[in-house]
Amino acid sequence: MRIPAHSVCTAIRDDIVTGVFERGGRLTEEQLARRYGVSRVPVREALRTLESEGFVTTRRHVGACVAEPTEQEAADLLEMRTLLEPLGAARAAQRRTDAHLKVLRGLVRLGQERARRGQGEDLRSLGGWFHETLAQASGSPALTALLTQLRHKIAWMYAVEQPAQPAEAWAEHGAIVDAVARGDAERARALTALHVERSLTAHRLRRQERPERPAGRVRTSQHRVNTASVRN
């Protein structure tokens, strides 16, 4: 059974985002193949994809390493989000399906319920799901892919504090969904722009420290790629 490169890519990206692989650390095909229990072929393909996304860089005489983004690059990501997420919401108001709307409304109900109960960790995952669904509702695969990549990179570079008033944040989500449901593209755009702008104050840049351990060393034990969904 050949493990798809996209499964390996997801696993490596997740480990980079969560800090298992430290910035600047070397990534060898042999090390990664052993860690995820795959051959070097999907690892090689995954590294090429991650380099195109900006998570990996190739250094002369060293090979593949985890990228080391600058503070300016990190700031640029937040600025791009303020431009692209409102565009996605406007497109969603024009192109969403009933299925998208059903999921979005369900997420808002769950978010409001969890906010009342003070279940912060649930709210974090629900918020990510909400914005991912909103992007998908735009009907633009290219825009959805850009927004997904932005979310991954922002999670890598920033620690995000939970809002002091989570109920207000989910009320904003609800208002965005109402605008999308009515097909009001301009209101969906404006509400999303305001929501994103307010959320920026919760972002704290993760401090980048040079690891003292050998390059490429990881913080946790080896993990195999989840192949449950992979067909023979």
Side-chain angles (χ1 to χ4, degrees):
M1 180 177 68
R2 185 177 185 275
I3 308 302
H6 68 78
S7 297
V8 181
C9 184
T10 297
I12 299 173
R13 186 194 297 111
D14 287 348
D15 277 347
I16 290 174
V17 169
T18 57
V20 173
F21 293 116
E22 295 173 324
R23 299 183 195 185
R26 188 181 177 199
L27 299 170
T28 68
E29 292 179 11
E30 181 180 0
Q31 166 208 31
L32 296 172
R34 185 170 59 250
R35 176 177 175 78
Y36 303 114
V38 299
S39 72
R40 294 173 65 169
V41 174
V43 168
R44 190 175 303 126
E45 295 177 24
L47 288 175
R48 283 197 293 264
T49 298
L50 291 169
E51 184 169 15
S52 71
E53 293 179 356
F55 290 98
V56 170
T57 186
T58 300
R59 295 178 181 169
R60 189 177 182 183
H61 306 309
V62 176
C65 299
V66 179
E68 299 178 90
T70 65
E71 291 189 13
Q72 183 59 62
E73 289 170 333
D76 288 346
L77 292 176
L78 293 183
E79 185 175 3
M80 284 189 283
R81 184 190 172 204
T82 64
L83 297 172
L84 292 179
E85 281 209 10
L87 173 62
R91 291 289 182 268
Q94 298 166 329
R95 303 173 182 174
R96 57 83 180 168
T97 65
D98 290 341
H100 288 133
L101 196 56
K102 182 177 180 180
V103 173
L104 288 168
R105 282 175 166 161
L107 289 169
V108 169
R109 285 195 297 270
L110 283 173
Q112 291 173 337
E113 177 185 332
R114 299 296 193 274
R116 286 194 296 270
R117 295 180 180 179
Q119 296 172 304
E121 287 307 310
D122 284 351
L123 289 177
R124 190 182 300 277
S125 59
L126 285 173
W129 191 1
F130 174 88
H131 286 285
E132 180 179 346
T133 304
L134 187 63
Q136 292 171 351
S138 72
S140 171
L143 180 57
T144 301
L146 282 173
L147 286 169
T148 298
Q149 191 178 130
L150 271 178
R151 280 193 296 275
H152 287 147
K153 285 189 174 180
I154 288 171
W156 177 34
M157 298 183 198
Y158 289 91
V160 183
E161 300 172 356
Q162 287 284 50
Q165 301 293 331
E168 292 182 6
W170 280 94
E172 292 174 3
H173 286 154
I176 292 168
V177 174
D178 288 342
V180 168
R182 291 196 304 270
D184 191 337
E186 287 311 309
R187 181 163 176 76
R189 184 196 301 270
L191 289 172
T192 303
L194 182 60
H195 174 71
V196 173
E197 190 69 30
R198 287 175 175 169
S199 74
L200 295 183
T201 59
H203 290 70
R204 297 288 180 268
L205 193 65
R206 298 183 192 275
R207 291 301 165 192
Q208 185 170 317
E209 298 178 358
R210 281 284 184 178
E212 296 180 0
R213 66 193 71 189
R217 185 172 176 180
V218 298
R219 295 176 178 170
T220 60
S221 59
Q222 295 177 351
H223 297 284
R224 290 182 176 273
V225 171
N226 183 353
T227 59
S229 62
V230 178
R231 296 180 179 178
N232 293 325

